[in-house]
Amino acid sequence: MADERAALERLCRRFGIATDYHDIRGARHDAPTDNLLALLASFDIDASSPAQIAKAARDADAAYWRELLPPVAAVEADDVAAAVPLRLPLAMQRSRIAWSLEEEGGTVHRGECDANALPRRAHQDDGHAQGQDAGGAVECLLSPGLALPAGYHRLHIDGVVGATLIVAAPARCWRPPALEGDGRVFGPAVQLYALRSGDNWGIGDFSDLARLVEQWGARGAGIVGLNPLHALFGHNPAHISPYSPSSRQHLNPIYIDVEAVAELRHCEHAQKHVRWGGFQARLARLRATERVDYVGVAAAKREVLALLYAHFRSHGLGTNSERAHAFRSFQREGGRELRRFGLFEAIQARLHAEDASVWGWPVWPEPWRDPEGATVMRFAEAHLDEVEFHEYLQWIAEEQLDRARAHADARGMAVGLYLDLAVSVDRAGADAWSHAATYALEASVGAPPDDFNQQGQAWGLPPLRPDRLRASGYRVVIETLRANMRQAGALRIDHVMGLMRLFWIPPGKSACEGAYVHYRADELLAIVALESHRNRCM
């Protein structure tokens, strides 16, 4: 049994699964075998018997050495000594290697080197494939000798399929000049939904935020902190936790100030609806509630926003107006991610209207679960107006948040808006649907037992798979950071430990039965630093 457990632990380490952890008092806890098997299953690994464990280990070894170029390598920008690991089979060890490196800006560098002269750091049997021919493959280091600028570059080897994404990052994240040395700033941290004003419709909105920025900026504040502004679920406004979002890449339309939308000035139908006494009475009741009536607020806003979109679609999109160009430009910049979000919202709304038990994409009919599938593509063509409605809401929300950011800039705030990035997403939502293969959808993120919660914590959110995340070039992470840094002077990364490790809880288990899973901290930190500088966001 001890040998079987040792083999299982070796297999777990190959996938970054820690087989034990030390609690708050320093006591060691070994993860139960059944839980390790369940976590390996989250990586599509069958370890149900000693034979399967041995096979999985052999397969992992073979895959490791077949990967001549790693999918990602992190280096420090402008470091001429930066190197990338290569895994060369015997046939390539005795030849010259021709390489090319394409900088993000388009500049291409080419070079050659003697493979046998490259510094070596591992053989094929060195902790990876015991018992195989040590001469079968070798891991060595290739240094192009280039001081790469900060950015995302690609290294190719002639004759080898694939490329390495080289993340050349500054040594540290960006910091506002006012905070260099002993510099300090002050400002409030607020929950945007809790702001009250005589103008909002029962929930704090982006115009309230702009006024708050003005008020605090006039008092010398340099920062305004906010709860996560992530998109939740349009079909279910009662789902209100900002830390369990449908998408971390998009905004919650409930924060739109409807009366500040440009189309309202030209849409008489919407103007009459808002001025109508019955509607004004609804708004008065929504403003007077002790707590936010999310369902009531969402319904009131959706009614008028739908009218404004219909007006924009009939009077704006078909013209050569500045607004039409701005919206189309927003769509182009949002690209695939924006379109998939619009698709998710439109499909979920339609399926939920037909059957109220449809709570998210995991219970959609099978053909709808593939974002690239024929069923979804046909829906996109047949119901483009419904899809673009949700893109329109994102455009308006982004406009209004940008207006609040501009107020901070105009006031000379040293930092400006301080936004909050949730640790993960709801497994039923748009991000999980769009990037299902990148998430371990059956597992949950949480925390082991400690003095604050002796039963541990299970947050019910799926973790990102480190292997798939890395193989994709961290696309989800990069796009999520960009989306959240775009309007932010500072970004709080909730449970920042997730850049190194997260506590995974297997399906059907309690938080007492989880284990830590490790990520490539060097690569994730490099991406954070690079995006921080690009977006001037600390």
Side-chain angles (χ1 to χ4, degrees), residues 18-52:
T19 58
D20 61 67
Y21 69 89
H22 291 81
D23 68 18
I24 197 168
R25 296 179 182 82
R28 174 177 159 168
H29 296 264
D30 290 311
T33 295
D34 286 350
N35 299 344
L36 295 179
L37 296 178
L39 289 177
L40 282 167
S42 295
F43 288 84
D44 302 319
I45 301 299
D46 180 1
S48 56
S49 69
Q52 290 291 351

Side-chain angles (χ1 to χ4, degrees), residues 132-153:
Q132 296 186 35
D133 179 9
V138 65
E139 188 170 83
C140 52
L141 295 172
L142 170 64
S143 178
L146 300 170
L148 291 172
Y152 299 101
H153 317 297

Side-chain angles (χ1 to χ4, degrees), residues 437-455:
T438 314
Y439 285 91
L441 291 169
E442 299 302 318
S444 294
V445 178
D450 58 25
D451 284 350
F452 298 98
N453 193 323
Q454 295 185 12
Q455 300 303 311

Side-chain angles (χ1 to χ4, degrees), residues 33-156:
T33 295
D34 286 350
N35 299 344
L36 295 179
L37 296 178
L39 289 177
L40 282 167
S42 295
F43 288 84
D44 302 319
I45 301 299
D46 180 1
S48 56
S49 69
Q52 290 291 351
I53 291 173
K55 179 181 182 303
R58 289 193 300 272
D59 290 346
D61 289 336
Y64 181 87
W65 287 102
R66 275 198 306 270
E67 191 178 72
L68 273 63
L69 282 166
V72 181
V75 303
E76 189 170 326
D78 301 317
D79 179 8
V80 72
V84 176
L86 305 179
R87 299 182 195 107
L88 302 178
L90 181 62
M92 294 185 68
Q93 293 174 38
R94 299 167 182 169
S95 62
R96 291 189 65 77
I97 292 176
W99 56 264
S100 62
L101 197 154
E102 183 180 0
E103 291 186 18
E104 187 176 13
T107 301
V108 178
H109 306 274
R110 301 185 186 279
E112 284 192 2
C113 60
D114 182 354
N116 212 32
L118 295 176
R120 302 186 177 194
R121 67 178 192 178
H123 290 286
Q124 190 169 355
D125 69 340
D126 185 12
H128 295 287
Q130 296 293 335
Q132 296 186 35
D133 179 9
V138 65
E139 188 170 83
C140 52
L141 295 172
L142 170 64
S143 178
L146 300 170
L148 291 172
Y152 299 101
H153 317 297
R154 293 200 174 272
L155 174 68
H156 301 264

Side-chain angles (χ1 to χ4, degrees), residues 251-498:
L251 294 168
N252 189 348
I254 204 168
Y255 294 126
I256 291 173
D257 175 5
V258 179
E259 295 185 63
V261 178
E263 280 66 51
L264 186 61
R265 295 196 300 269
H266 310 289
C267 181
E268 292 184 10
H269 190 185
Q271 292 174 13
K272 290 178 181 178
H273 188 83
V274 172
R275 289 197 301 264
W276 174 55
F279 192 79
Q280 285 295 315
R282 279 175 68 188
L283 296 186
R285 287 194 298 271
L286 291 170
R287 292 188 186 108
T289 57
E290 182 181 358
R291 297 191 176 104
V292 177
D293 179 356
Y294 285 90
V295 175
V297 170
K301 291 195 175 190
R302 183 60 64 95
E303 285 176 22
V304 182
L305 287 168
L307 295 174
L308 298 181
Y309 170 68
H311 182 273
F312 178 65
R313 193 163 188 85
S314 60
H315 294 82
L317 280 181
T319 69
N320 200 31
S321 68
E322 184 178 337
R323 293 282 289 171
H325 284 298
F327 178 59
R328 293 306 187 200
S329 176
F330 177 79
Q331 287 179 303
R332 286 192 297 272
E333 290 173 9
R336 189 186 78 160
E337 295 303 312
L338 178 63
R339 176 49 49 96
R340 284 194 177 180
F341 177 77
L343 274 167
F344 173 85
E345 282 288 293
I347 294 170
Q348 173 60 26
R350 181 169 284 264
L351 294 179
H352 181 73
E354 296 170 357
D355 180 355
S357 69
V358 177
W359 46 266
W361 74 270
V363 294
W364 289 358
E366 189 68 37
W368 295 93
R369 299 182 197 176
D370 179 5
E372 299 292 334
T375 299
V376 172
M377 294 300 101
R378 285 195 297 269
F379 179 90
E381 292 178 8
H383 303 279
L384 183 62
D385 57 334
E386 296 174 38
V387 175
E388 289 195 331
F389 171 60
H390 298 285
E391 296 175 345
Y392 172 80
L393 296 183
Q394 289 301 307
W395 177 49
I396 298 300
E398 192 75 34
E399 274 190 333
Q400 294 191 359
L401 181 58
D402 182 61
R403 201 170 300 143
R405 179 205 53 77
H407 277 268
D409 290 347
R411 274 288 177 185
M413 282 191 163
V415 177
L417 301 182
Y418 170 29
L419 302 187
D420 196 347
L421 177 64
V423 68
S424 187
V425 297
D426 192 300
R427 70 186 78 248
D431 283 2
W433 176 66
S434 183
H435 301 283
T438 314
Y439 285 91
L441 291 169
E442 299 302 318
S444 294
V445 178
D450 58 25
D451 284 350
F452 298 98
N453 193 323
Q454 295 185 12
Q455 300 303 311
Q457 299 176 55
W459 304 324
L461 307 174
L464 288 161
R465 277 182 55 166
D467 57 337
R468 296 267 179 85
L469 189 61
R470 191 168 187 247
S472 71
Y474 295 100
R475 178 173 179 169
V476 173
V477 171
I478 292 169
E479 291 176 343
T480 299
L481 287 173
R482 286 176 178 170
N484 285 271
M485 288 179 168
R486 188 161 49 239
Q487 308 291 6
L491 183 67
R492 172 184 179 267
I493 301 178
D494 190 30
H495 300 289
V496 72
M497 62 185 178

Side-chain angles (χ1 to χ4, degrees), residues 213-227:
V213 167
E214 283 286 338
Q215 292 167 2
W216 281 86
R219 290 162 172 79
I223 189 169
V224 172
L226 294 162
N227 56 283

